Amino acid sequence: MNASIAKLKDGLIVSSQVMNPASPLLAPSTLAALAKAAELGGAVGFRVDGVDVVRELRRLSDRPIIGIHKNRASGMDTYITVCVKDAIALISAGADIVAAQATEGSRPAESFAEIVQAVHMQGALVMGDVSTYEEGIAAVANGADIVATTLAGYTSQSKGAHRPDLRLAQRLSNSVNVPVVVEGGIWTPEDVAGAFDAGAWAVVVGSALTAPDIIAAHLSQGLPHRHIGVLA
Ligand SMILES: CC(=O)N[C@H](C=O)[C@@H](O)[C@H](O)[C@H](O)COP(=O)(O)O
């Protein structure tokens, strides 16, 4: 068993990313610090977007880093680490694992299998981000070392999926011989426990840990309507 994968077992991985480009947190040092802060609470590994964040975080921690490179500009269905050159840059910056999109649909450059091959040549590992059971099976057949439920509910083929998608996690963990990571929509300790009951190797938590804008909107659902005008 690879050492990075072993270090993630039964653990919580913090995803430190910004969804809203207007967020003032959008700086490598800030995102790396947020990730590092979660380590104090027991996070065993990290998932971050971009070479600069990986490099900054590598300085702060020796725990496993899952690097991604998001690129939504291409107008394609896929956007999470879809080019070999981006995957290799993440490894050079210090990522132990590259997460790459392994869903169906149009891609701007190399296939998922080609990305896996290139990452393995560098001695790193690949997490396949999927949205359906069939995609998970295909990702493993194409060489993924880990499969994650990251994109369940975000693709047209998984529309309406519940997040976290524990049914998908359960089906995959019954079928594949690589670790299954539950990622996407985890907000409560019950979600975390449910993921491990469904066979998870580890969980990835993003918004609930590192996105004050999304957390504020989430908690605001409990505000009495009469206060909304006062706060606005
Ligand atoms: C769909 C997509 O692009 N998800 C991204 C994948 O890297 C991240 O923006 C999420 O924060 C991450 O998956 C964790 O999920 P959640 O924030 O729900 O805990």
Side-chain angles (χ1 to χ4, degrees):
M1 153 102 34
N2 175 278
S4 297
I5 292 185
K7 285 181 194 164
L8 298 175
K9 181 159 174 48
D10 292 340
L12 183 147
I13 298 162
V14 53
S15 171
S16 183
Q17 298 181 44
V18 164
M19 298 294 267
N20 183 344
S23 171
L25 302 180
L26 189 55
S29 57
T30 307
L31 292 167
L34 276 171
K36 178 70 183 173
E39 187 184 319
L40 298 178
V44 299
F46 311 106
R47 176 168 167 129
V48 292
D49 177 17
V51 163
D52 294 341
V53 188
V54 171
R55 194 175 292 118
E56 185 70 23
L57 187 52
R58 186 80 294 164
R59 279 194 325 107
L60 302 178
S61 177
D62 59 6
R63 292 183 186 270
I65 298 178
I66 301 164
I68 65 173
H69 177 103
K70 279 187 181 167
N71 180 4
R72 292 178 186 274
S74 60
M76 298 279 157
D77 297 325
T78 49
Y79 64 96
I80 299 178
T81 325
V82 284
C83 299
V84 162
K85 73 168 172 35
D86 296 330
I88 290 177
L90 291 165
I91 299 164
S92 304
D96 307 283
I97 300 167
V98 172
Q101 187 154 353
T103 59
E104 290 164 12
S106 53
R107 306 180 64 92
E110 293 90 356
S111 67
F112 177 74
E114 287 168 326
I115 292 174
V116 171
Q117 205 176 13
V119 169
H120 284 170
M121 297 259 288
Q122 303 291 315
L125 303 172
V126 176
M127 172 188 271
D129 288 339
V130 305
S131 68
T132 65
Y133 175 75
E134 291 73 20
E135 291 166 354
I137 299 297
V140 176
N142 282 317
D145 305 283
I146 302 171
V147 66
T149 63
T150 314
L151 292 160
Y154 289 101
T155 59
S156 55
Q157 58 273 25
S158 65
K159 206 162 171 231
H162 182 266
R163 283 197 295 269
D165 195 340
L166 301 184
R167 188 167 168 270
L168 173 59
Q170 182 84 69
R171 288 185 75 199
L172 285 173
S173 37
N174 287 341
S175 307
V176 299
N177 58 359
V178 302
V180 173
V181 167
V182 175
E183 172 168 355
I186 293 181
W187 279 87
T188 67
E190 292 73 26
D191 290 337
V192 173
F196 287 101
D197 287 346
W201 182 268
V203 293
V204 174
V205 181
S207 309
L209 277 171
T210 58
D213 48 346
I214 299 173
I215 297 166
H218 177 67
L219 293 175
S220 293
Q221 293 175 66
L223 291 175
H225 287 294
R226 65 179 180 279
H227 284 173
I228 287 176
V230 175
L231 294 174

